Amino acid sequence: YIQMVNLAMQVFDKQGNSLLGPLSLSSVFPGSESDGDPIVLYDKFADRWMISQFQVSQKQILIAVSISPDPTDEWHYYTFTFNQFPDYPKYSIWKNGYYMTANMLSNNAVAFERDSMLLGKNARMVSLTIPNLITNGFFSVLPAYFDGNSFENASDACPLFYFLDDGWAGGNDELKIW
């Protein structure tokens, strides 16, 4: 079990005993600041862990993927830089990538090369700006998280979901799916 909260991470066994930590995020991600908003995902299809945090001043997302199912083992580290600060990142696991959305005006939906990250190879990202997004200054689009038993029946496209509430963004109450 991995727990990440604001500025720290700790790993526990199934009986609740600490196996690692608590550690500051700056020690989890070498050379980083403990800026926060950490996320933990377990990629059950690869039997690996994916963790992240953002770097405010550099407008970056830091991602680490475990090299094995054991989160106390080594990690592959990745740094992705954006034109704007990628606030409030939300992630999903899909067959063709790790997907992220963030509270940004442009390039607010991103796919990272999952296969390369699992192997510790150089990984790219591709981003797009979600079209016709009505907001009150806050972008709350969420990528779908695949939760089946295999990727066999998953579409190539990872759906993105957005709830529009007329009470804070005008227009009609809608659920948009891209």
Side-chain angles (χ1 to χ4, degrees):
Y1 172 77
I2 299 176
Q3 182 177 21
M4 293 178 85
V5 293
N6 292 337
L7 306 176
M9 177 177 125
Q10 191 162 2
V11 178
F12 300 90
D13 66 16
K14 291 180 181 181
Q15 289 73 41
N17 302 304
S18 179
L19 300 176
L20 181 68
L23 303 169
S24 69
L25 293 184
S26 62
S27 64
V28 173
F29 293 93
S32 72
E33 300 293 324
S34 292
D35 282 349
D37 251 12
I39 303 287
V40 177
L41 292 179
Y42 176 68
D43 184 342
K44 70 179 182 180
F45 305 103
D47 199 16
R48 305 283 192 80
W49 295 93
M50 191 277 275
I51 60 174
S52 79
Q53 76 156 326
F54 55 49
Q55 295 292 271
V56 177
S57 64
Q58 294 91 7
K59 301 175 187 170
Q60 294 174 330
I61 289 290
L62 307 180
I63 296 176
V65 178
S66 65
I67 66 166
S68 75
D70 181 355
T72 65
D73 204 345
E74 295 180 29
W75 296 76
H76 302 301
Y77 294 96
Y78 298 91
T79 301
F80 298 96
T81 304
F82 295 82
N83 292 330
Q84 304 165 37
F85 169 56
D87 193 16
Y88 201 64
K90 298 298 173 220
Y91 295 91
S92 74
I93 294 171
W94 207 258
K95 73 178 183 180
N96 58 3
Y98 291 127
Y99 283 76
M100 182 192 83
T101 57
N103 187 27
M104 300 185 293
L105 294 173
S106 62
N107 298 319
N108 45 14
V110 180
F112 303 103
E113 287 185 305
R114 175 178 173 267
D115 290 343
S116 293
M117 296 171 86
L118 289 168
L119 296 172
K121 296 181 178 180
N122 289 335
R124 298 170 295 172
M125 71 174 187
V126 60
S127 63
L128 64 86
T129 300
I130 297 171
N132 306 316
L133 192 57
I134 300 169
T135 75
N136 67 343
F138 190 77
F139 302 85
S140 58
V141 176
L142 295 173
Y145 186 93
F146 191 81
D147 198 25
N149 292 323
S150 77
F151 285 132
E152 182 179 342
N153 296 320
S155 69
D156 287 337
C158 175
L160 304 174
F161 296 88
Y162 178 69
F163 176 70
L164 176 63
D165 186 332
D166 68 348
W168 59 267
N172 299 314
D173 287 345
E174 298 176 350
L175 179 62
K176 293 187 175 219
I177 303 172
W178 288 279

